[in-house]
Amino acid sequence: MVPLTRRRFLQISTAALGSATALPRWTAQPAWAAAPASGGVTTIPTLCDMCFWRCGAIAHVRDGRLWKFTGNPLDPQSEGRLCPRGTAAVGTVYDPDRLRQPLLRVGPRGHEQWKAVSWDEALGYVAERMNAIKAAQGPESVALFNHGLGQRFLVHVLRSWGVINRAEPAFAQCRGARDTGFALTYGNGLASPEPTDIRNTECLVLLGSHIGENMHNSQVREFAEAVARRVPVIVVDPRQSVAASKAKYWLPIKPGTDLALLLTWMNVLVTEQRYDADFVARHGHGFEQFKDEIKGCTPAWGAERTGLPAELIVAAAREFSSHRPATLIHPGRRSNWYGDDTQRARALALLTALMGSWGRRGGIFVPTSLKVENYPLPPYPGSNRPQADGADGAQFKFAEEGVTTSLRAATLSGQPYPIKAWVVYGTNLLQNLPDRAQTLAAIDKLDLLVVCDTIPSEIAGYADVVLPDTTFLERHDELFVGWGRRGWIGLRQPVVAAPHDQKPSWWIAKQLANRLGVGACMPFDDIETYLRWRVEKSGHSWERLQREGILMGPPNPVTVEDGLALSFDTPSHKVEFWSEQLAAAGFDPVPKYTAHPQAPAGHFRLITGRAPVHTFSKTQSNPYLHDLMPDNEVWVNAGVARARGLADREYVTLRNQDGVVSHRVRVKATERIRDDCVYLAYGFGLTNPALHGAYLNGASAAQLNTRYATDPLMGGTSIHGNFVQLVKEA
Ligand SMILES: Nc1nc2c(c(=O)[nH]1)N[C@H]1C(S)=C(S)[C@@H](COP(=O)(O)OP(=O)(O)OC[C@H]3O[C@@H](n4cnc5c(=O)[nH]c(N)nc54)[C@H](O)[C@@H]3O)O[C@H]1N2
Ligand SMILES: Nc1nc2c(c(=O)[nH]1)N[C@H]1C(S)=C(S)[C@@H](COP(=O)(O)OP(=O)(O)OC[C@H]3O[C@@H](n4cnc5c(=O)[nH]c(N)nc54)[C@H](O)[C@@H]3O)O[C@H]1N2
Ligand code: SF4
Ligand SMILES: [Mo]
């Protein structure tokens, strides 16, 4: 590998992000695919997995080693450019902390005493324990936690074996509330990538949504283009985020009061008749009742709750409504803020409807896809038991996916039936679920904890069996069928060989299937047979997909301007300003503001977001990204820091309302945050000493999330309801 100095790395990532590529946007045959490898360098297209945006990328391989990772110009997500994390994929392959072989626990759980074993022994052990649990308690007593494209076949095998309990933090800890709120309003969630037409917008409104720190590639690039086009940007954030620093209006809202602001904005739009009356008349359901519900939400009412001047609230509403329908009210993504997040998402959805910007150019488009045939696989067995997490309606009427924290609660209580094993694929539950003590207590109840990961993550530290997956650069995964302005298929394929005894996740799933007695559910010898079948049966060339990495579908209308006819899959077949479904289930049919708990004396609300060069807790041991940002800092209002005698860059610890104390972290004293909250980027302060570079670097926001509120509609867990004191180091 070419030694990559920090300086050169920065140059690469800046070029990757900022510069306009000379390649046309939709080349039929890119130079790198047509030309034979020169100078011993082979280029292989694949999909980035440094985060879940799944950008199309090109691996440059020399002498069997990956030395550069760049964007695939054919891919609609990257358009030839990766974010800094994608560029650093090389560090994921050569991370010295990688798991190398299967491990069996020999000491007490969590004490990290292992025996390296063969795959045969590891998978034989897993199958034997799982079959014993099935015989005694039924397959429902095994739960699966998973995330990412690599999970596909493990999920399939376990479901074929009888698993019905499965959840991922990307729902209840991420976009679940947002998608539920939009589905209740329009009949459809937004999924990923969210169809925001930033490229064509004439006014962008961001609540939270810290694009630029949230590095989702295409959104960041379209955002940069919008700023260059001098599109007015309105940012609502208690902290002056990177996006807020580019904004025409920054509204430093009192945390937790966004719903009051949204209701006030809607009141202003209705009162001043600035909404799209035609859209509402044609597509709206229950508008009069809605109007009646929000009539008390005047600017004075909103100002009192949000801490924002009434004039600023009104000025922002006048600004963004003057650009409708090309006004984009960004729907957000990580919506697990305060526990009433589905209702906040409903308010965002209704504000979009008042702008008439659903299905419009410059607003939210209705994405299209490409039809891909499904490989004929046997159906899953049924079960006469309910899901243990209540996400099938018993507890969370509107949850469309499994609820992690509720599955954890079922493991703790043994109700409605005991959960005796967790299989965990690609998700670090000790960081991404609130209240770590509950996660550890639930693990204590298990007869079996299997973790499949690439590095010694914190959750792997508690496993009975650790299965070392290959990295995404060493394996095939299921096809990625993308939804967007056009549909596309993206292929993940291996670009280098696994360096040790790591195995691809599809292979692990297939081997396990044989040992679990459900081998028939994987009726192909290798994954290429499966992938080729799907691609060719769908009328595409497998060889071309292997060569180019991306196959684009034909253009379809995605906005009214392109000829799209709007339709809504709600009970009324309209946009539900008033939700009969919510009313029938005993919830507010129109969102209502309720105040959230305030900080105890001497405490600050802990708010959180993303570090631009890291993904959650999974990239801290990547040498290049670690070099760029080894730890986090706690943002403290400069006046607060002065009053407490805290100097910029001085170390403090954070003690939360329940007495949990963080690892030491540097203070960033800044005017760019309100004085009632502090901010910490998520993903640091990792506690597994086997992560040599990343161990205890910075403070873990997750560790301080001991309190959470649960969204009663879909089970999402809030994390912004925790409060901390700043403790000076002795
Ligand atoms: N670099 C990088 N990028 C990522 C990721 C990553 O790990 N690393 N993860 C990706 C994923 S999965 C997701 S879900 C997204 C998440 O990214 P977003 O969806 O953008 O996350 P948010 O929580 O909406 O935004 C965090 C911002 O909200 C502000 N905030 C906190 N409390 C409040 C409040 O009460 N009101 C308002 N209006 N603002 C508040 C914070 O100050 C912060 O600026 O990021 C994605 N992009
Ligand atoms: N406190 C707090 N909690 C949060 C959030 C937050 O901001 N703060 N954000 C929430 C959000 S928005 C989301 S989307 C979720 C994200 O949660 P997850 O997507 O589950 O992300 P991580 O917790 O980083 O766990 C990813 C794990 O997968 C492993 N891994 C990486 N690549 C591979 C691979 O190829 N194969 C296998 N088998 N494993 C791999 C990593 O080493 C890591 O242990 O977290 C949520 N939880
Ligand atoms: S946004 Fe960045 S890390 Fe995520 S897939 Fe794209 S290039 Fe990779
Ligand atoms: Mo997320």
Side-chain angles (χ1 to χ4, degrees):
M1 183 175 52
V2 175
L4 204 56
T5 63
R6 181 188 157 96
R7 193 155 167 265
R8 201 169 96 77
F9 177 89
L10 280 169
Q11 282 168 352
I12 295 169
S13 45
T14 321
L17 260 178
S19 70
T21 166
L23 279 163
R25 207 163 264 165
W26 306 111
T27 36
Q29 181 75 304
W32 51 262
S38 61
V41 176
T42 324
T43 50
I44 307 166
T46 187
L47 295 179
C48 181
D49 194 38
M50 295 299 286
C51 86
F52 299 104
W53 208 241
R54 297 165 182 155
C55 294
I58 296 175
H60 303 250
V61 179
R62 187 160 58 194
D63 301 327
R65 284 179 71 86
L66 178 66
W67 72 281
K68 193 164 85 169
F69 202 54
T70 59
N72 183 344
L74 296 181
D75 170 54
Q77 301 252 95
S78 77
E79 295 181 329
R81 286 160 287 178
L82 301 183
C83 86
R85 296 167 297 154
T87 308
V90 176
T92 291
V93 175
Y94 304 111
D95 182 345
D97 288 340
R98 281 184 66 172
L99 294 167
R100 294 167 180 227
Q101 64 262 304
L103 302 172
L104 276 190
R105 176 169 69 82
V106 290
R109 221 179 237 152
H111 285 238
E112 311 255 8
Q113 290 154 14
W114 312 101
K115 172 172 84 162
V117 295
S118 67
W119 278 97
D120 193 47
E121 193 178 343
L123 292 173
Y125 180 85
V126 172
E128 186 196 309
R129 302 298 296 271
M130 281 179 60
N131 280 329
I133 293 169
K134 187 180 196 171
Q137 261 125 352
E140 298 86 355
S141 290
V142 175
L144 175 59
F145 293 88
N146 55 276
H147 197 185
L149 211 49
Q151 72 197 6
R152 159 71 171 115
F153 294 101
L154 188 62
V155 172
H156 168 66
V157 166
L158 294 195
R159 291 191 64 190
S160 301
W161 180 80
V163 165
I164 62 166
N165 289 307
R166 167 170 98 84
E168 49 187 78
F171 180 72
Q173 280 68 47
C174 177
R175 55 179 172 70
R178 178 199 71 182
D179 285 356
T180 307
F182 274 76
L184 283 165
T185 311
Y186 292 98
N188 267 318
L190 296 164
S192 175
E194 45 275 334
T196 49
D197 194 11
I198 303 175
R199 172 159 290 152
N200 295 307
T201 197
E202 285 167 27
C203 183
L204 177 61
V205 184
L206 303 172
L207 292 96
S209 299
H210 55 333
I211 300 177
E213 288 155 285
N214 159 357
M215 269 292 172
H216 278 162
N217 191 350
S218 30
Q219 289 199 10
V220 180
R221 283 182 300 99
E222 290 187 22
F223 177 67
E225 287 167 22
V227 171
R229 284 193 286 120
R230 301 191 182 282
V231 163
V233 176
I234 297 170
V235 175
V236 181
D237 196 314
R239 180 183 70 103
Q240 194 189 46
S241 59
V242 169
S245 71
K246 314 284 178 211
K248 177 164 178 182
Y249 293 102
W250 170 39
L251 282 67
I253 194 168
K254 180 175 166 188
T257 64
D258 292 69
L259 187 45
L261 174 68
L262 289 163
L263 294 171
T264 306
W265 271 349
M266 293 198 279
N267 173 292
V268 170
L269 299 170
V270 170
T271 312
E272 299 189 0
Q273 307 222 330
R274 288 176 180 274
Y275 67 98
D276 188 335
D278 184 49
F279 181 93
V280 170
R282 287 177 55 185
H283 302 299
H285 168 80
F287 184 68
E288 290 306 317
Q289 287 151 295
F290 160 80
K291 237 167 81 174
D292 203 46
E293 285 281 327
I294 64 164
K295 67 172 185 277
C297 304
T298 61
W301 176 91
E304 198 180 313
R305 277 149 192 85
T306 60
L308 299 168
E311 310 74 63
L312 181 59
I313 297 178
V314 172
R318 290 180 183 160
E319 171 78 48
F320 69 71
S321 59
S322 72
H323 302 278
R324 69 173 171 78
T327 298
L328 176 56
I329 312 291
H330 195 290
R333 184 170 176 111
R334 186 182 63 85
S335 50
N336 62 321
W337 292 0
Y338 297 99
D340 57 354
D341 304 302
T342 302
Q343 292 286 13
R344 189 182 74 251
R346 278 263 298 147
L348 286 163
L350 293 177
L351 185 58
T352 297
L354 290 182
M355 293 298 92
S357 56
W358 180 266
R360 295 304 292 265
R361 195 178 149 83
I364 292 186
F365 62 89
V366 179
T368 178
S369 179
L370 209 151
K371 173 132 181 50
V372 181
E373 292 297 327
N374 286 325
Y375 196 96
L377 296 170
Y380 299 133
S383 166
N384 51 20
R385 282 170 154 179
Q387 275 176 224
D389 61 0
D392 49 3
Q395 193 179 354
F396 303 114
K397 188 136 200 324
F398 300 101
E400 288 184 351
E401 294 178 33
V403 176
T404 44
T405 28
S406 187
L407 206 44
R408 180 181 72 182
T411 308
L412 275 168
S413 68
Q415 297 301 325
Y417 46 81
I419 300 287
K420 299 313 286 178
W422 286 6
V423 179
V424 177
Y425 179 91
T427 177
N428 183 10
L429 300 177
L430 288 176
Q431 285 285 332
N432 59 37
L433 300 184
D435 199 348
R436 182 178 296 180
Q438 274 191 42
T439 307
L440 291 175
I443 288 173
D444 246 5
K445 301 258 178 192
L446 299 176
D447 292 345
L448 177 67
L449 174 59
V450 182
V451 174
C452 182
D453 207 305
T454 51
I455 53 171
S457 60
E458 292 160 297
I459 186 75
Y462 286 84
D464 303 322
V465 188
V466 179
L467 304 175
D469 199 357
T470 53
T471 69
F472 68 97
L473 292 153
E474 298 148 356
R475 64 171 191 252
H476 282 102
D477 275 336
E478 175 62 289
L479 293 177
F480 176 45
V481 182
W483 288 75
R485 295 181 175 108
R486 285 165 66 179
W488 76 98
I489 306 175
L491 176 67
R492 177 167 293 146
Q493 57 186 338
V495 304
V496 287
H500 313 101
D501 198 13
Q502 300 95 349
K503 296 286 184 195
S505 37
W506 70 264
W507 181 93
I508 299 172
K510 189 165 163 62
Q511 297 301 314
L512 188 61
N514 293 338
R515 287 170 176 80
L516 286 172
V518 292
C521 78
M522 296 280 279
F524 41 85
D525 288 337
D526 58 65
I527 190 176
E528 274 191 80
T529 311
Y530 168 94
L531 295 171
R532 176 192 278 273
W533 190 97
R534 289 197 71 193
V535 172
E536 290 183 345
K537 276 284 176 203
S538 309
H540 305 290
S541 157
W542 169 242
E543 283 72 23
R544 182 167 172 200
L545 182 60
Q546 285 179 300
R547 200 168 62 238
E548 300 188 0
I550 300 286
L551 289 179
M552 292 303 297
N556 289 319
V558 296
T559 61
V560 168
E561 286 82 348
D562 310 330
L564 177 75
L566 295 180
S567 65
F568 305 98
D569 196 12
T570 54
S572 62
H573 300 291
K574 299 255 181 185
V575 179
E576 302 216 333
F577 281 91
W578 172 275
S579 169
E580 308 287 355
Q581 294 186 78
L582 287 177
F587 297 110
D588 294 333
V590 174
K592 271 203 181 76
Y593 171 73
T594 44
H596 297 298
Q598 292 304 303
H603 288 66
F604 303 88
R605 188 183 294 277
L606 177 65
I607 60 173
T608 185
R610 300 290 178 238
V613 300
H614 283 287
T615 301
F616 319 123
S617 67
K618 75 174 192 171
T619 54
Q620 277 70 8
S621 70
N622 178 305
Y624 302 127
L625 296 176
H626 176 81
D627 190 26
L628 284 175
M629 185 176 178
D631 58 3
N632 55 358
E633 27 184 36
V634 56
W635 290 43
V636 178
N637 174 273
V640 168
R642 255 193 317 277
R644 288 171 188 246
L646 291 172
D648 192 38
R649 302 190 67 75
E650 176 175 349
Y651 277 105
V652 292
T653 55
L654 306 177
R655 182 202 300 271
N656 84 353
Q657 71 280 330
D658 297 318
V660 172
V661 180
S662 76
H663 189 64
R664 70 206 291 254
V665 59
R666 282 175 292 120
V667 167
K668 176 187 170 97
T670 171
E671 303 291 349
R672 292 174 53 191
I673 188 164
R674 286 173 59 98
D675 61 9
D676 54 0
C677 53
V678 296
Y679 174 83
L680 203 56
Y682 164 64
F684 294 85
L686 302 182
T687 53
N688 192 331
L691 293 167
H692 292 95
Y695 180 58
L696 290 186
N697 282 337
S700 163
Q703 179 199 11
L704 299 165
N705 294 334
T706 49
R707 301 256 173 111
Y708 61 94
T710 301
D711 190 311
L713 281 76
M714 47 60 70
T717 54
S718 72
I719 54 174
H720 293 200
N722 288 277
F723 305 98
V724 295
Q725 286 178 297
L726 302 164
V727 183
K728 247 170 122 66
E729 282 208 315

